[in-house]
Amino acid sequence: ALAHAILPGVVLAFLLDWPLLIGALVFGVLTPVVVGLLTQGGEVREDAAIGIVFAGSFALGVAMISTLDSYAVDLSHILFGDVLGVSSGDLWATFILGMLVILTIIVFYKEFLVLAFDATLAVVLRLPAKSLRYLLLILIGVTIVVSLQTVGVALVLAMLITPAAAAQLLTRRLSTMMVVAAMIGVFSNVTGLYISYYWNIASGPTMVLGATVVFLFVFIFAPERGVLCRGLF
């Protein structure tokens, strides 16, 4: 939902001839805050609030794109990325924001661990659960922003979930799972980029398909937790 909700920010920056990263970053931070405000009183469920913000923001972004003369081309670029169009400035922005996310996770790792697995315990331990939740959502938003140029809005969801789902089948420790997931993501992106170059197909979808193939391989052959080891085939 966050990946799609930042689309208006990307389009607005494009229309104003600003760096796309600025518009994406603004909406990447604003969206989780809006979701949090809608659900704060308990009158609106979180899944409902996410659906409202996602649908409204995505519709606004597509409507804004439709005002462009080169509607189809620009929509494809924003939704599916253009890894070959990444500039050195984009790389530096990705590196800086990526390091900021990683350092924040390292600093608050124990707090995030408690919040993710037992929110009630986080409250009992008097952790600032609400602030940590907002921070985690903002980190997700920033992560999505730095992924836009390569895989685009529509495919970033797969790159967030698929490597992590594969890593979850290979390890039972969260810290190890995070490292393995990152390695799977890197392998999928590099392999997908080479395949897209030699086979002359779109790079973003190819990278996502690479991650999907890795997940399916792990799902079948993973030690102890793969379907073959569990005797489901």
mmCIF file of all heavy atoms in Angstrom, residues 4 16 32 42 44 63 88 100 107 109 124 134 137-139 143 157 171 205 219 223 232:
data_model
loop_
_atom_site.group_PDB
_atom_site.id
_atom_site.type_symbol
_atom_site.label_atom_id
_atom_site.label_comp_id
_atom_site.label_asym_id
_atom_site.label_seq_id
_atom_site.Cartn_x
_atom_site.Cartn_y
_atom_site.Cartn_z
ATOM 1 N N HIS A 4 2.316 2.045 -3.452
ATOM 2 C CA HIS A 4 1.388 2.659 -4.400
ATOM 3 C C HIS A 4 0.941 4.050 -3.934
ATOM 4 O O HIS A 4 0.616 4.902 -4.757
ATOM 5 C CB HIS A 4 0.166 1.763 -4.601
ATOM 6 C CG HIS A 4 0.462 0.514 -5.370
ATOM 7 N ND1 HIS A 4 1.172 -0.529 -4.827
ATOM 8 C CD2 HIS A 4 0.160 0.145 -6.644
ATOM 9 C CE1 HIS A 4 1.278 -1.499 -5.731
ATOM 10 N NE2 HIS A 4 0.687 -1.111 -6.833
ATOM 11 N N LEU A 16 6.519 19.076 -11.843
ATOM 12 C CA LEU A 16 7.199 20.307 -11.450
ATOM 13 C C LEU A 16 8.675 20.312 -11.851
ATOM 14 O O LEU A 16 9.395 21.258 -11.536
ATOM 15 C CB LEU A 16 7.083 20.511 -9.938
ATOM 16 C CG LEU A 16 5.659 20.699 -9.392
ATOM 17 C CD1 LEU A 16 5.668 20.796 -7.864
ATOM 18 C CD2 LEU A 16 5.016 21.948 -9.992
ATOM 19 N N PRO A 32 2.385 7.055 5.912
ATOM 20 C CA PRO A 32 2.205 6.340 7.177
ATOM 21 C C PRO A 32 1.695 7.217 8.308
ATOM 22 O O PRO A 32 0.984 6.736 9.197
ATOM 23 C CB PRO A 32 3.612 5.793 7.479
ATOM 24 C CG PRO A 32 4.532 6.601 6.665
ATOM 25 C CD PRO A 32 3.772 6.993 5.450
ATOM 26 N N GLY A 42 -9.154 4.545 17.064
ATOM 27 C CA GLY A 42 -9.750 3.222 17.079
ATOM 28 C C GLY A 42 -11.062 3.110 16.334
ATOM 29 O O GLY A 42 -11.651 2.027 16.262
ATOM 30 N N VAL A 44 -11.459 3.668 13.083
ATOM 31 C CA VAL A 44 -11.185 3.110 11.761
ATOM 32 C C VAL A 44 -10.108 2.040 11.906
ATOM 33 O O VAL A 44 -9.057 2.287 12.504
ATOM 34 C CB VAL A 44 -10.705 4.205 10.772
ATOM 35 C CG1 VAL A 44 -10.412 3.597 9.409
ATOM 36 C CG2 VAL A 44 -11.748 5.309 10.663
ATOM 37 N N ALA A 63 -4.480 9.672 -12.113
ATOM 38 C CA ALA A 63 -5.205 10.805 -12.704
ATOM 39 C C ALA A 63 -4.233 11.911 -13.107
ATOM 40 O O ALA A 63 -4.381 12.539 -14.172
ATOM 41 C CB ALA A 63 -6.236 11.342 -11.704
ATOM 42 N N SER A 88 24.396 8.898 -11.378
ATOM 43 C CA SER A 88 25.296 8.849 -10.218
ATOM 44 C C SER A 88 24.680 9.545 -9.011
ATOM 45 O O SER A 88 24.883 9.126 -7.869
ATOM 46 C CB SER A 88 26.641 9.492 -10.577
ATOM 47 O OG SER A 88 26.457 10.841 -11.002
ATOM 48 N N LEU A 100 21.041 5.290 6.098
ATOM 49 C CA LEU A 100 20.241 5.880 7.183
ATOM 50 C C LEU A 100 19.233 4.868 7.719
ATOM 51 O O LEU A 100 19.061 4.726 8.940
ATOM 52 C CB LEU A 100 19.523 7.128 6.670
ATOM 53 C CG LEU A 100 18.613 7.855 7.667
ATOM 54 C CD1 LEU A 100 19.437 8.381 8.840
ATOM 55 C CD2 LEU A 100 17.880 9.005 6.989
ATOM 56 N N VAL A 107 20.226 0.612 15.535
ATOM 57 C CA VAL A 107 20.069 1.314 16.817
ATOM 58 C C VAL A 107 18.824 0.833 17.560
ATOM 59 O O VAL A 107 18.843 0.621 18.779
ATOM 60 C CB VAL A 107 20.014 2.839 16.589
ATOM 61 C CG1 VAL A 107 19.641 3.562 17.891
ATOM 62 C CG2 VAL A 107 21.351 3.354 16.072
ATOM 63 N N TYR A 109 17.057 -2.026 16.974
ATOM 64 C CA TYR A 109 16.750 -3.415 16.607
ATOM 65 C C TYR A 109 15.954 -4.134 17.694
ATOM 66 O O TYR A 109 14.935 -4.779 17.403
ATOM 67 C CB TYR A 109 18.045 -4.180 16.324
ATOM 68 C CG TYR A 109 17.818 -5.648 16.054
ATOM 69 C CD1 TYR A 109 17.345 -6.075 14.815
ATOM 70 C CD2 TYR A 109 18.052 -6.606 17.041
ATOM 71 C CE1 TYR A 109 17.130 -7.421 14.557
ATOM 72 C CE2 TYR A 109 17.834 -7.956 16.791
ATOM 73 C CZ TYR A 109 17.371 -8.351 15.551
ATOM 74 O OH TYR A 109 17.139 -9.685 15.307
ATOM 75 N N VAL A 124 3.960 -3.153 27.923
ATOM 76 C CA VAL A 124 4.282 -3.534 29.302
ATOM 77 C C VAL A 124 5.692 -3.073 29.676
ATOM 78 O O VAL A 124 5.939 -2.625 30.803
ATOM 79 C CB VAL A 124 4.156 -5.061 29.473
ATOM 80 C CG1 VAL A 124 4.676 -5.496 30.846
ATOM 81 C CG2 VAL A 124 2.708 -5.493 29.304
ATOM 82 N N TYR A 134 5.392 4.403 14.152
ATOM 83 C CA TYR A 134 5.511 5.447 13.131
ATOM 84 C C TYR A 134 6.893 5.404 12.479
ATOM 85 O O TYR A 134 7.019 5.520 11.264
ATOM 86 C CB TYR A 134 5.275 6.827 13.753
ATOM 87 C CG TYR A 134 3.827 7.223 13.857
ATOM 88 C CD1 TYR A 134 3.228 7.392 15.094
ATOM 89 C CD2 TYR A 134 3.058 7.448 12.723
ATOM 90 C CE1 TYR A 134 1.901 7.763 15.205
ATOM 91 C CE2 TYR A 134 1.729 7.821 12.812
ATOM 92 C CZ TYR A 134 1.152 7.981 14.061
ATOM 93 O OH TYR A 134 -0.158 8.351 14.163
ATOM 94 N N LEU A 137 7.149 2.491 10.040
ATOM 95 C CA LEU A 137 6.405 2.772 8.814
ATOM 96 C C LEU A 137 7.154 3.772 7.933
ATOM 97 O O LEU A 137 7.197 3.635 6.708
ATOM 98 C CB LEU A 137 5.011 3.308 9.143
ATOM 99 C CG LEU A 137 4.014 2.294 9.717
ATOM 100 C CD1 LEU A 137 2.746 3.004 10.183
ATOM 101 C CD2 LEU A 137 3.665 1.243 8.681
ATOM 102 N N ILE A 138 7.759 4.770 8.564
ATOM 103 C CA ILE A 138 8.526 5.760 7.805
ATOM 104 C C ILE A 138 9.746 5.108 7.157
ATOM 105 O O ILE A 138 10.090 5.399 6.005
ATOM 106 C CB ILE A 138 8.934 6.930 8.721
ATOM 107 C CG1 ILE A 138 7.697 7.760 9.093
ATOM 108 C CG2 ILE A 138 9.971 7.816 8.042
ATOM 109 C CD1 ILE A 138 7.959 8.830 10.125
ATOM 110 N N LEU A 139 10.398 4.187 7.880
ATOM 111 C CA LEU A 139 11.543 3.473 7.310
ATOM 112 C C LEU A 139 11.127 2.648 6.101
ATOM 113 O O LEU A 139 11.859 2.570 5.108
ATOM 114 C CB LEU A 139 12.180 2.569 8.368
ATOM 115 C CG LEU A 139 12.922 3.261 9.514
ATOM 116 C CD1 LEU A 139 13.436 2.232 10.497
ATOM 117 C CD2 LEU A 139 14.061 4.118 8.982
ATOM 118 N N THR A 143 12.510 3.143 2.333
ATOM 119 C CA THR A 143 13.023 1.991 1.580
ATOM 120 C C THR A 143 12.359 1.891 0.217
ATOM 121 O O THR A 143 13.010 1.597 -0.795
ATOM 122 C CB THR A 143 12.791 0.691 2.372
ATOM 123 O OG1 THR A 143 13.411 0.806 3.651
ATOM 124 C CG2 THR A 143 13.353 -0.507 1.630
ATOM 125 N N LEU A 157 6.800 -3.859 -4.223
ATOM 126 C CA LEU A 157 6.188 -4.746 -3.226
ATOM 127 C C LEU A 157 6.825 -6.130 -3.266
ATOM 128 O O LEU A 157 7.149 -6.716 -2.221
ATOM 129 C CB LEU A 157 4.680 -4.861 -3.479
ATOM 130 C CG LEU A 157 3.930 -5.892 -2.640
ATOM 131 C CD1 LEU A 157 3.969 -5.510 -1.171
ATOM 132 C CD2 LEU A 157 2.492 -6.033 -3.109
ATOM 133 N N THR A 171 15.965 -19.839 7.756
ATOM 134 C CA THR A 171 16.515 -19.549 9.074
ATOM 135 C C THR A 171 15.392 -19.236 10.043
ATOM 136 O O THR A 171 14.289 -18.856 9.636
ATOM 137 C CB THR A 171 17.487 -18.355 9.011
ATOM 138 O OG1 THR A 171 17.961 -18.052 10.316
ATOM 139 C CG2 THR A 171 16.801 -17.126 8.436
ATOM 140 N N PRO A 205 10.826 -6.015 -14.163
ATOM 141 C CA PRO A 205 10.122 -7.294 -14.027
ATOM 142 C C PRO A 205 11.056 -8.497 -13.995
ATOM 143 O O PRO A 205 10.782 -9.474 -13.299
ATOM 144 C CB PRO A 205 9.232 -7.325 -15.283
ATOM 145 C CG PRO A 205 9.018 -5.898 -15.629
ATOM 146 C CD PRO A 205 10.308 -5.220 -15.282
ATOM 147 N N PHE A 219 11.325 -22.736 -1.497
ATOM 148 C CA PHE A 219 10.064 -23.305 -1.019
ATOM 149 C C PHE A 219 10.026 -24.822 -1.218
ATOM 150 O O PHE A 219 9.481 -25.561 -0.396
ATOM 151 C CB PHE A 219 8.897 -22.654 -1.763
ATOM 152 C CG PHE A 219 7.543 -23.158 -1.351
ATOM 153 C CD1 PHE A 219 6.973 -22.775 -0.149
ATOM 154 C CD2 PHE A 219 6.835 -24.025 -2.177
ATOM 155 C CE1 PHE A 219 5.724 -23.241 0.229
ATOM 156 C CE2 PHE A 219 5.584 -24.495 -1.809
ATOM 157 C CZ PHE A 219 5.026 -24.097 -0.594
ATOM 158 N N PRO A 223 16.038 -26.993 3.492
ATOM 159 C CA PRO A 223 16.195 -28.042 4.511
ATOM 160 C C PRO A 223 15.152 -27.898 5.622
ATOM 161 O O PRO A 223 14.908 -26.791 6.099
ATOM 162 C CB PRO A 223 17.620 -27.793 5.050
ATOM 163 C CG PRO A 223 18.312 -27.012 3.974
ATOM 164 C CD PRO A 223 17.250 -26.185 3.326
ATOM 165 N N LEU A 232 5.337 -33.253 1.179
ATOM 166 C CA LEU A 232 4.047 -32.813 0.647
ATOM 167 C C LEU A 232 3.869 -33.169 -0.815
ATOM 168 O O LEU A 232 2.772 -33.050 -1.348
ATOM 169 C CB LEU A 232 3.913 -31.293 0.842
ATOM 170 C CG LEU A 232 3.934 -30.806 2.291
ATOM 171 C CD1 LEU A 232 3.744 -29.300 2.351
ATOM 172 C CD2 LEU A 232 2.843 -31.500 3.114
#
